[in-house]
Structure formats: C-alpha cells, structure tokens
Amino acid sequence: MKVFIRLLIALLLLGGIFGGIFGYKYFVQMQGGGPGGPRPANITATTVASEQWQGERSSVGSLTAVDRVAVSTEVAGTIESLNFDSGERVGTNDVLVALDTDVDEAELQGLQAEAELARIAFNRAEDLLPQQAISQSEFDEARARLDSATAAVDTQQARLAQKTIRAPFPGILGLRTVSVGQYLAPGSDIVEIQRLDPIYADFTLPERFLTDLEQGQSIEVNTSAFEDTFNGTITAIDSAIRENTRAVSVRATLDNPDGRLRPGMFAEVTVLEPMERTLLTIPRTAVSFNTYGDFVLRINQNDNGLVAERVQIETGEVRDGRVEVTNGLDKGDRVVAAGLVKVRPGQPVTIDDTVTLNPDEVTGR
C-alpha cells in the first residue's frame, strides 16, 4: 500500500513538472515571443496628413418640376383632332387639341353680320347728325348698338380660341388621357406637361444649420439612376421651421438641358460651404471606432526600435475613406494603417513598406 502511494505521488509530481513546462511554452507561443520579449509585429503604416476640405452638409430630397400643370379645357366640346403624342417635347403655344367649332363658327358669322349692319347704321347716323336730321340720342343709340355688336363678335372669337388648346410653356408631355371624338366637359384633364429645364431639388436640413445657408450657395446632387454628379445653387430658403421636424426646407435649382433628371427622383444632396478649411486626416481603416471612444495605434521610436502605443482620438467628418482627426494626433505622426486587432499596445513593430492599402479597403466598399 505504501509503495502504491509513493508511486502515485511520483506520478503527480512528474505531471505537474511536465504540465508547467508545456504550459509555459504554450503561453510564450500565444504571446508571440520568447524569453527575449514579445515578437515584433509586421505592419503597414500611414502618416497623419494635412488636407484642405470644403465643408459640406448632406441631406436627401426629391426633384421637382419648375412648372407642372394638367392641361384641361375651359369650354365644353368634342375633340376633333389631337396634335401630340405621349411623352413628346413641345414649345409654348404649340397646338395640342382642337375641339369641334362648327356651331361656334356659324354663330360668329351671324354676329359679324349684325356688327356690320350696326356699323352701317352708325355711319349713316354720323352723316345725318351734322345736318340735324337725327337727334343726339339717336346717334348715341347707333354708336351703342355698334359697340355691343363688336363686343359680341370679340366674345365669340375668344370662345372659338378656347376650342384650340395650346401648351402653356415649353416642356415634356405625360401620357394622354383622351381620344379623338371624346366629349370634354369644362375642366377635363387632357395631358400633364412639365417644364424640366431647369429643375428643382427640394430638401431639408436641421435648424441648427440655418445660419450656414444662403442663396447662391453651391450644391451637388446624386441620383440612383445616373453615376454623374449634378451641380446647382440654392435659390430659396423657407421662411419658417417645420414644427414637427425642426427642419428648414431648402430649394435648389439645377440646369437640365438634356432632360435626364425627372421630377420625383430621389436626390442625395450635398450642400457645399463657401470656404475650405485645413484639417488632419488618416485612413478610416486606421481608426478603431468604439462606444467608449475612438483610438489608433501610434508608432513611436524608442531605444529598442518602433513600438505601438494606443492613443485616444476625437474624430470628425468621414469622407472618401478618410477620417478627420480633431484631437489626439499631430501632423506627421505615424499610425498603424490597418489590422489593429493583430497589434497590442506596447508591442514592437516593423513597417512593411512594400504593402499598400487597397483603395476599396480604405473606403470600406
């Protein structure tokens, strides 16, 4: 029994010794070093750069036609001819629809005959008045009858003109909703017309940016339909703040000569500040964004070489894969450009100058 106990104790001692040895080796491997200290990490580095950025405010909105109306008729009538196609580009006063005018033209001829008779009677009265063959009142009655007949002719001619429906301004037509032979009551919609050049971009910004807005300020607009960026200027700022959103409505005007931009399009709007400002930037991949604060790994030189140091920073705008640094770094400081999780604060590092960051990695695409 004593021999068994001694053998068990010996086995336990040997297990503890070998376990400690293997555990130490495993710990050293996990720490990336050996008795001489942590193993240096091979990293890519970047330098804090000074750049000129034009301040900007981002928003979303919609494109709106400068002029948009549903063309309709003021008088009743039957469509005699349609002189347009859906989606056609038209100019001011181009004839769109002609209504039947047979009855109106017959009435006009009758009124013109009455007006001519009244004119003849007035001319005769005008000749007789100096001879005192008629009284002044009879002459006045003749002149009134002529004026009334002439006014009736003018009214009928205006009514006839209303039977020809024209484009009120240059633009692009929508889809027609009528056909030849169709009877139209007054106010019936025929087709929608929209002026597309120029075109409005309507958007909102929080009220805190109200003092940064002014008419004539430049904007950029991007849409999902086109890769191009469209330029415009702010032409109107609403006089009041929306109570439900505490935002101010802004309208910008963009040139649209080819008509590519259409009303109703979703617009990503960037309002550009007039002045540029100088700031410090680093790649977005060099920053670890954290709930308790953003940090980078700055590369410092000491007696033993290059060492990574964790530095808390304050960040601002993010643009084109670069981050504005408002506090914590100075121009020319070197930081770890990517792969922060592979480097520990205080760990020696070596810089691999042969590796460059992929632009898509920098922008986060």
Side-chain angles (χ1 to χ4, degrees):
M1 186 64 179
K2 293 182 179 180
V3 174
F4 176 78
I5 293 174
R6 290 175 181 174
L7 180 61
L8 180 61
I9 293 173
L11 290 175
L12 290 174
L13 290 174
L14 289 174
I17 293 171
F18 285 109
I21 294 173
F22 288 120
Y24 175 77
K25 289 185 176 181
Y26 178 78
F27 175 80
V28 170
Q29 290 177 354
M30 291 297 293
Q31 293 299 313
R39 182 182 304 169
N42 191 29
I43 55 95
T44 57
T46 187
T47 302
V48 179
S50 175
E51 296 188 34
Q52 294 285 332
W53 279 14
Q54 187 173 21
E56 58 184 39
R57 300 283 182 263
S58 298
S59 180
V60 294
S62 298
L63 300 184
T64 308
V66 172
D67 292 309
R68 174 181 179 179
V69 298
V71 179
S72 60
T73 175
E74 299 178 79
V75 295
T78 302
I79 297 177
E80 187 174 74
S81 65
L82 291 172
N83 302 305
F84 70 92
D85 293 321
S86 298
E88 185 178 359
R89 190 182 295 270
V90 295
T92 304
N93 290 327
D94 284 356
V95 176
L96 303 179
V97 176
L99 302 181
D100 177 65
T101 59
D102 291 343
V103 175
D104 297 278
E105 288 177 353
E107 291 182 5
L108 177 61
Q109 291 176 1
L111 292 173
Q112 287 174 335
E114 292 178 6
E116 182 62 24
L117 181 61
R119 184 178 301 280
I120 293 173
F122 174 74
N123 291 338
R124 184 180 300 113
E126 197 173 30
D127 292 337
L128 295 175
L129 181 62
Q131 304 174 19
Q132 297 184 347
I134 60 173
S135 64
Q136 182 66 42
S137 62
E138 289 176 325
F139 174 79
D140 293 339
E141 289 177 2
R143 183 167 59 185
R145 283 193 295 270
L146 174 60
D147 292 341
S148 177
T150 302
V153 171
D154 293 340
T155 300
Q156 186 62 19
Q157 288 176 336
R159 187 176 292 112
L160 269 172
Q162 290 177 327
K163 292 293 184 78
T164 301
I165 302 167
R166 302 175 181 272
F169 50 78
I172 295 180
L173 300 175
L175 304 179
R176 67 180 175 91
T177 59
V178 296
S179 301
V180 174
Q182 181 177 340
Y183 173 80
L184 296 180
S188 299
D189 290 344
I190 298 172
V191 67
E192 189 176 76
I193 180 173
Q194 301 188 82
R195 189 199 300 267
L196 301 185
D197 184 28
I199 194 169
Y200 290 146
D202 292 337
F203 59 97
T204 61
L205 283 173
E207 63 175 315
R208 66 179 181 273
F209 298 134
L210 179 61
T211 56
D212 298 331
L213 298 174
E214 60 183 19
Q215 291 188 3
Q217 198 166 343
S218 298
I219 69 157
E220 294 178 348
V221 172
N222 290 281
T223 66
S224 57
F226 305 105
E227 296 182 356
D228 300 351
T229 297
F230 301 88
N231 299 315
T233 56
I234 293 177
T235 51
I237 302 171
D238 201 353
S239 58
I241 304 296
R242 297 183 183 180
E243 293 184 1
N244 55 340
T245 61
R246 302 303 176 188
V248 59
S249 297
V250 185
R251 169 167 287 176
T253 304
L254 296 81
D255 291 331
N256 189 32
D258 51 10
R260 289 197 299 166
L261 297 177
R262 295 299 177 95
M265 277 185 171
F266 176 80
E268 297 179 0
V269 182
T270 302
V271 180
L272 304 177
E273 294 181 358
M275 302 296 293
E276 290 187 342
R277 54 195 176 97
T278 303
L279 43 80
L280 302 179
T281 68
I282 56 176
R284 191 179 188 278
T285 54
V287 183
S288 177
F289 297 96
N290 194 288
T291 306
Y292 303 101
D294 306 330
F295 72 88
V296 297
L297 292 177
R298 183 168 58 191
I299 302 171
N300 296 329
Q301 178 75 47
N302 61 18
D303 295 339
N304 297 323
L306 302 177
V307 179
E309 176 193 7
R310 174 172 170 151
V311 177
Q312 201 84 14
I313 65 171
E314 295 178 7
T315 59
E317 288 188 54
V318 179
R319 189 184 303 180
D320 297 330
R322 297 191 69 85
V323 180
E324 175 189 3
V325 179
T326 59
N327 190 28
L329 293 174
D330 296 322
K331 180 181 177 181
D333 285 349
R334 288 188 299 177
V335 297
V336 177
L340 274 65
V341 295
K342 301 177 182 179
V343 185
R344 300 185 313 279
Q347 183 178 4
V349 295
T350 58
I351 299 175
D352 187 353
D353 294 327
T354 64
V355 178
T356 57
L357 291 178
N358 188 319
D360 289 342
E361 294 178 352
V362 173
T363 58
R365 292 196 296 266

